[in-house]
Amino acid sequence: MKIICNFASVMEKVKLLILGGGPAGYTAAIYASRANLDPVLYEGMEPGGQLTTTTVVENYPGFNGGVDANTLMDTMRAQAASFGADIRMGAATEVDLSKRPFRVKIDAEKEIEAEALVIATGASARYLGLPSETKYRGMGVSACATCDGFFYRKKTVAVVGGGDTACEEALYLSGLCKKVYMIVRRDVFRASKAMQAKVFSRENIEVLWNCNTREVLGDGMGVTGARLERKDGKVFDIEIDGFFLAIGHHPNSELFSKYLETDDAGYIVTAPKTSETSVKGVFAAGDVQDPLYRQAVTAAASGCKAARDAERFLLEQGIN
Ligand code: NDP
């Protein structure tokens, strides 16, 4: 595996630049390197992507019994490198997508000129920002029920948020857990009526309206509860084993939004059934363009699409 740190300020020309070291970026690199596109991939601020914030991945196809999240990402990275992908540490800090070749500055130092670009910079889950929440992240605090819910079978958990994601996560967890609290800061859900109806029909989901979390409580080893404050000033504790955040995600698209079409929430818009963005030669894959599915396997699949789209584009341009 090639991992190179860049400190010198040198202009480098590449055929295909991939930004993002998650399932989408690595998969794009696997396909692109096998197609002789000599891809250069910068892993960004979180090598391995959001998946590295969890422990075991049990729903990635091909791993009966599950796979350690870091191992899965290390394997994808090594697989891409084995086909010749040039995988580097560093994050894009500036871009100019106004004309081709596109210009990208890495770590405010090194400049790259790329004939085609795959953006796979992912999304970040929003957290409340409590120190106790940070302390127990990965030890009972999670932002992904589909990833981690299974570890709380027959236990009691809480989901923070009142949107469609929170309802969906609560419904998923209610099928596994003994009891699910929903901590909702207003007296109404933001979620669709259909989703609300499903939540209300589940006997083991209890909605705690008008509540904000003051602290995540724990015993040093894991989460044991949460301290809540209701709008009327009442402070009380609930006993839980898991604390799930579902207060929205934030696509890592700011750097590109000046040049590319994004939706109201900042997700990069791609043409239906493709990874093509509003700028020819720029492709987007994974969570940065997907507000809905946000799974490792869907991100990987879209990385494949982006590499194939980039390959076709470069061929059309006579670049090989
Ligand atoms: P949303 O922005 O829709 O909802 C976020 C929720 O979190 C709101 O209830 C909000 O409260 C609450 N919240 C935000 N910040 C805080 C905070 N600091 N403390 C406590 N609560 C907080 O995000 P979602 O991820 O739920 O959904 C994103 C998009 O994806 C939506 O368009 C949604 O419809 C869609 N989606 C659709 C699904 C489906 O159709 N199956 C499934 C999942 C998502 P408040 O309401 O008070 O602002």
Side-chain angles (χ1 to χ4, degrees), residues 17 22 73 113 159 171 184 189 222 295:
L17 180 65
M73 298 322 298
E113 266 189 7
V159 177
L171 288 165
V184 181
F189 277 130
Q295 300 300 299

Side-chain angles (χ1 to χ4, degrees), residues 126-129 160-169 183-192 195 198 211-213 231 245-249 265 267 291-294:
R126 291 187 204 280
Y127 285 83
L128 296 171
V160 186
D164 280 320
T165 302
C167 289
E168 202 169 66
E169 307 255 284
I183 304 170
V184 181
R185 67 178 174 182
R186 290 188 292 150
D187 60 355
V188 285
F189 277 130
R190 180 181 289 274
S192 61
M195 204 63 110
K198 283 186 194 168
C211 285
N212 275 301
T213 309
K231 261 201 188 125
L245 280 308
I247 59 172
H249 281 75
Y267 289 89
L292 213 50
Y293 298 103
R294 299 195 298 250

Side-chain angles (χ1 to χ4, degrees), residues 228-304:
L228 309 183
E229 180 171 356
R230 216 165 52 194
K231 261 201 188 125
D232 60 10
K234 184 182 173 188
V235 177
F236 62 102
D237 293 352
I238 53 171
E239 280 183 27
I240 50 171
D241 305 290
F243 184 81
F244 287 86
L245 280 308
I247 59 172
H249 281 75
H250 170 73
N252 301 320
S253 62
E254 293 89 349
L255 204 57
F256 316 100
S257 55
K258 181 174 155 197
Y259 301 97
L260 304 180
E261 189 189 340
T262 55
D263 69 11
D264 291 347
Y267 289 89
I268 295 175
V269 173
T270 51
K273 295 186 181 170
T274 78
S275 65
E276 290 165 13
T277 69
S278 54
V279 171
K280 218 168 159 34
V282 178
F283 306 90
D287 289 10
V288 74
Q289 52 85 56
D290 175 11
L292 213 50
Y293 298 103
R294 299 195 298 250
Q295 300 300 299
V297 68
T298 51
S302 72
C304 158

